[in-house]
Amino acid sequence: MRENTREAILSAARRTAQARGYGGLNFRDLAADVGIKSASIHYHFASKADLGVAVVKRYREDATIALEAISDEMPDPLSCLQRYTDIFRAVLQNDNRMCMNNFMSAEYSDLPDVVKTEIEAFIDVNVAWIARQLSAASIVPIENSEKRARAVFSAIAGAQLLARGRSDISFYDSAISELRDAGILPSGGD
Amino acid sequence: MRENTREAILSAARRTAQARGYGGLNFRDLAADVGIKSASIHYHFASKADLGVAVVKRYREDATIALEAISDEMPDPLSCLQRYTDIFRAVLQNDNRMCMNNFMSAEYSDLPDVVKTEIEAFIDVNVAWIARQLSAASIVPIENSEKRARAVFSAIAGAQLLARGRSDISFYDSAISELRDAGILPSGGD
DNA sequence: ACCTGAACACCGTTCAAGT
DNA sequence: ACCTGAACACCGTTCAAGT
């Protein structure tokens, strides 16, 4: 027995979802990755929607843990934000992948409602964490931090999306450095 | 005879591509929209890739003309940029649609090469136009205007993408207003 | 010149059947 | 408990056939 087939499906699906989105997920390739037949996936996930929910939910949980780990380890919120943009960069470098949210926000109208809900929760986690760093760094008063965090998150997401659309990571670097120059992202940190 | 079947296909395809992307385009629905059979589309466009190229090419041409019209009519570059963000907002209001580039940058790895090339040309048109407004407004010295324009374009795109992912246009408004507060977008204009 | 039905290999899904 | 083959309606595509 290979540990846990369900987990193997989940992790293969997650990897695909960050490379080609929800629409890019297909049961036959996924099954081949895991070493079972397409029909067998339905034993673990009744429908593609169920698989999608599980993938995004796990993605959100992992992100939540990872972000908490960063802000726990690093006392300096400016360093935390620096690390944050580095993560988006690393994903691009990993075979031109993206944050799953960039795919799913684009695929919004084709997404099952349950998947939409999970994606919104993922966005909330990110925006809340960014808002905390921004107010901790006294960049923005706390009552404006949520609003600013939304702009920061979407600007980073947009930079990642466009860099992918050009297949050019320097587009990302350049956009992020401009955001810092403009002061929408702090330029401190290590 | 209904004017021009090829044009009817193109415009139906464009509308769909702004709602569901390249992957969301399908010959049977498209044919039904136009009032012919699926196989007949291949007479006008040999393959889906050919259709995709034609759609993006037309989209880029239309955008080029529209942007020139704006900067020709409006002497004030700040007003031009205000109009620019208004266009992205209007697209969102039109049934939660998006700039075609937001879909296609996400779908990048599934796009035929010829479509990728067209999308890159579309991005170039937008970035160049934004750069011109930024330097005309003396917001950025001309040698930095291209770099800044890339950041502006991707930030607007990201705001549109996230607003769609939340199905919440106020997300867009809020992000754009933060970009203005931060000075990455000018706050002047009418 | 323009359109069509029928066929192909591909998708998600279902289900009866295996172990 | 977990997996499978076969079938279904759906996709883009091809092609011989219509007008």
Side-chain angles (χ1 to χ4, degrees), chain A:
Chain A
M1 136 156 207
R2 66 188 63 67
E3 307 281 317
N4 191 329
T5 306
R6 190 190 144 91
E7 287 299 317
I9 296 170
L10 264 184
S11 93
R14 176 197 164 142
R15 200 172 156 74
T16 301
Q18 279 192 258
R20 318 207 302 116
Y22 182 79
L25 274 176
N26 82 77
F27 279 51
R28 280 166 179 90
D29 290 346
L30 205 49
D33 282 354
V34 176
I36 55 177
K37 297 295 169 182
S38 154
S40 308
I41 294 182
H42 291 278
Y43 176 78
H44 301 278
F45 303 97
S47 68
K48 185 171 175 177
D50 288 315
L51 173 62
V53 170
V55 166
V56 183
K57 184 171 188 292
R58 175 66 60 87
Y59 187 64
R60 170 173 59 79
E61 290 165 351
D62 289 351
T64 305
I65 292 167
L67 291 177
E68 289 314 308
I70 290 173
S71 45
D72 283 355
E73 279 167 29
M74 296 182 131
D76 176 18
L78 301 185
S79 302
C80 286
L81 288 167
Q82 172 71 48
R83 177 78 82 84
Y84 190 76
T85 57
D86 286 347
I87 292 173
F88 279 73
R89 187 183 201 282
V91 173
L92 271 177
Q93 273 188 308
N94 183 6
D95 293 329
N96 213 22
R97 280 184 164 67
M98 282 202 300
C99 173
M100 207 180 285
N101 170 57
N102 282 8
F103 289 106
M104 301 226 173
S105 286
E107 292 173 301
Y108 188 77
S109 55
D110 295 320
L111 251 33
D113 285 342
V114 280
V115 177
K116 289 179 189 172
T117 305
E118 278 299 332
I119 274 292
E120 285 170 14
F122 172 83
I123 297 171
D124 288 340
V125 165
N126 280 268
V127 169
W129 185 88
I130 293 170
R132 263 199 290 135
Q133 310 312 315
L134 291 175
S135 71
S138 305
I139 295 170
V140 189
I142 195 160
E143 64 271 20
N144 292 341
S145 65
E146 179 100 4
K147 191 164 181 284
R148 172 63 72 97
R150 284 199 289 266
V152 168
F153 181 65
S154 60
I156 295 170
Q160 193 189 47
L161 181 71
L162 267 290
R164 177 181 161 88
R166 307 295 309 235
S167 200
D168 176 11
I169 201 167
S170 78
F171 194 111
Y172 179 78
D173 292 333
S174 156
I176 296 299
S177 104
E178 289 292 316
L179 293 176
R180 288 193 214 288
D181 288 355
I184 192 142
L185 266 174
S187 36
D190 53 27

Side-chain angles (χ1 to χ4, degrees), chain B residues 121-139:
Chain B
F122 172 83
I123 297 171
D124 288 340
V125 166
N126 281 267
V127 169
W129 185 88
I130 293 170
R132 263 199 290 135
Q133 309 313 315
L134 291 174
S135 71
S138 305
I139 295 171

Side-chain angles (χ1 to χ4, degrees), chain B residues 9-89:
Chain B
I9 296 170
L10 264 184
S11 93
R14 177 199 164 139
R15 202 173 155 73
T16 301
Q18 279 193 258
R20 318 208 301 118
Y22 183 79
L25 275 176
N26 83 76
F27 279 51
R28 281 166 177 90
D29 290 346
L30 204 50
D33 281 355
V34 176
I36 55 176
K37 297 295 169 182
S38 154
S40 309
I41 294 182
H42 291 278
Y43 176 78
H44 302 278
F45 303 96
S47 67
K48 186 172 174 179
D50 288 315
L51 173 61
V53 170
V55 167
V56 182
K57 184 170 189 292
R58 175 66 59 88
Y59 187 63
R60 170 172 60 79
E61 289 165 352
D62 289 351
T64 305
I65 292 167
L67 290 177
E68 288 314 307
I70 290 172
S71 45
D72 282 356
E73 280 169 29
M74 295 182 132
D76 176 18
L78 301 185
S79 302
C80 287
L81 288 167
Q82 172 72 48
R83 177 77 83 85
Y84 190 76
T85 57
D86 287 347
I87 291 173
F88 279 72
R89 187 183 202 281

